[in-house]
Amino acid sequence: MNTAPSFPSAPAKPEQASIPAGDSSPARRLVITPVRGIGEVRAGDDLVELIGRACGRELRSGDILAVTSKIVSKAEGRTVPADRREEAVEQETVRVVASRETGNGTTRIVENRLGIVAASAGVDASNTAEGTVLLLPLDPDASARALCRGLKRDFGVDVGVIITDTLGRPWRQGQTDAAIGAAGISVLLDLRGQPDGSGRPMSATVSAVADEIAAAADLVKGKAAGLPVALVRGLDTLVTVGGMDKDPGARALLRPAAEDMFRQGSTEAYEDGRRSGTKTGYNAGYDDGHAAGYEDGYAAGYAAAASEARRRARISAD
């Protein structure tokens, strides 16, 4: 029998992340609790039942559940044999952003079919059965919506759900969890136009609160603790009651290509520049050569015509 966890409203235990927030935050007090008792997830398992049973009657409207993508992938049967890993990476890849040869082979940073830029398209061999690898969920936003609906149906609560995965970061060492799917929650907090601490209006601040929640929740879930779900309490204002079918989900966190200033790695950017320069140089050279040839031909024709005119003048004079 699984034992339901305790979700205290008193000061957090050491295993919890309790973060006092300032006035500009959506919460004055944030409590994050690991959800125990879910167990190993297998293909076809009902995550609503597993998570709901583990949370018991402690789940409240306004709560947010941070759910590791691996258990979603397992429940959805997104497992493939490890010897098909390269094939899976190719199938999941839409665009190669950068690649580098290392002592362990080729490291590729790619954009996958979900629009997420990640190493190996998010195909992962950790926390899965020996000889297998896991692909990301087919549609993490849809998976989050299904969890929201199911928990509303079974427990009568309006909660937010974030599907999380570990991502690396350009220019920074280490990895952190981020939101790859979401439902029932505002994933971005737009503070533009609001005054800062000095009273000046902010012009560019849009907080990626779903990513911040995912990263904070990982502090109590961990990578090897067997705790794939965390319950986040204190961010009720971010939960969009009844709006789970209308909100854009975690896709709203993806930067549009037109705004991406670092869309390519250095090697790929160099190759594109070289190809573009070669083509531009060829066209310019062709145009210059054509113009020069025209000028040379005109001059030669004019000289020939003048010479012929002088020859005829001499014949006429004779």
Side-chain angles (χ1 to χ4, degrees):
M1 176 70 70
N2 290 319
T3 303
S6 174
F7 300 102
S9 56
K13 297 178 182 178
E15 68 179 1
Q16 299 167 333
S18 180
I19 307 170
D23 289 341
S24 62
S25 169
R28 288 184 178 274
R29 181 174 181 78
L30 182 62
V31 179
I32 305 175
T33 310
V35 175
R36 301 184 181 278
I38 290 178
E40 181 61 30
V41 175
R42 297 177 175 81
D45 280 352
D46 185 342
L47 288 183
V48 171
E49 179 183 353
L50 292 176
I51 294 173
R53 184 175 60 191
C55 289
R57 297 183 180 278
E58 297 292 338
L59 203 59
R60 305 175 189 169
S61 287
D63 286 343
I64 298 169
L65 290 166
V67 181
T68 303
S69 65
K70 282 186 172 59
I71 66 168
V72 179
S73 294
K74 288 177 181 179
E76 294 179 356
R78 297 282 287 162
T79 305
V80 299
D83 59 8
R84 291 181 52 201
R85 183 177 187 275
E86 288 305 311
E87 177 187 346
V89 171
E90 290 292 337
Q91 290 177 348
E92 294 288 293
T93 296
V94 173
R95 176 177 63 90
V96 176
V97 176
S99 60
R100 176 172 293 177
E101 295 297 328
T102 69
N104 297 321
T106 303
T107 298
R108 285 173 292 174
I109 306 299
V110 307
E111 178 186 345
N112 66 17
R113 56 178 182 75
L114 296 170
I116 298 169
V117 176
S120 302
V123 178
D124 197 351
S126 64
N127 289 312
T128 184
E130 186 70 26
T132 66
V133 294
L134 282 172
L135 282 61
L136 292 178
L138 278 173
D139 186 340
D141 285 333
S143 301
R145 287 194 294 271
L147 283 171
C148 280
R149 291 194 197 98
L151 292 168
K152 172 73 171 179
R153 177 195 67 220
D154 294 351
F155 294 89
V157 290
D158 290 294
V159 298
V161 172
I162 298 174
I163 308 297
T164 72
D165 194 53
T166 304
L167 299 177
R169 302 165 299 159
W171 311 293
R172 305 284 287 182
Q173 294 286 4
Q175 297 82 35
T176 184
D177 267 24
I180 66 166
I185 180 175
S186 300
V187 298
L188 292 166
L189 185 61
D190 192 344
L191 300 176
R192 290 173 295 183
Q194 296 188 28
D196 63 12
S198 301
R200 292 186 294 270
M202 291 180 279
S203 61
T205 303
V206 181
S207 297
V209 287
D211 283 345
E212 292 175 330
I213 295 167
D218 191 51
L219 294 173
V220 301
K221 289 189 299 171
K223 303 301 179 192
L227 298 169
V229 179
L231 187 143
V232 181
R233 180 162 290 164
L235 293 172
D236 306 54
T237 57
L238 296 179
V239 176
T240 56
V241 178
M244 69 185 72
D245 293 318
K246 297 179 181 178
D247 59 45
R251 283 191 174 274
L253 294 163
L254 300 177
R255 188 180 298 279
E259 299 176 11
D260 189 352
M261 296 176 65
F262 308 99
R263 193 160 175 78
Q264 293 179 308
S266 58
T267 301
E268 288 72 22
Y270 174 83
E271 287 299 321
D272 270 6
R274 185 186 63 80
R275 284 192 294 268
S276 176
T278 299
K279 182 178 180 181
T280 301
Y282 174 85
N283 291 338
Y286 180 87
D287 291 342
D288 288 349
H290 180 78
Y294 179 84
E295 291 174 1
D296 290 348
Y298 179 85
Y302 182 84
S307 176
E308 177 64 17
R310 288 194 296 272
R311 187 183 67 81
R312 290 183 179 180
R314 285 197 301 272
I315 292 174
S316 297
D318 293 342

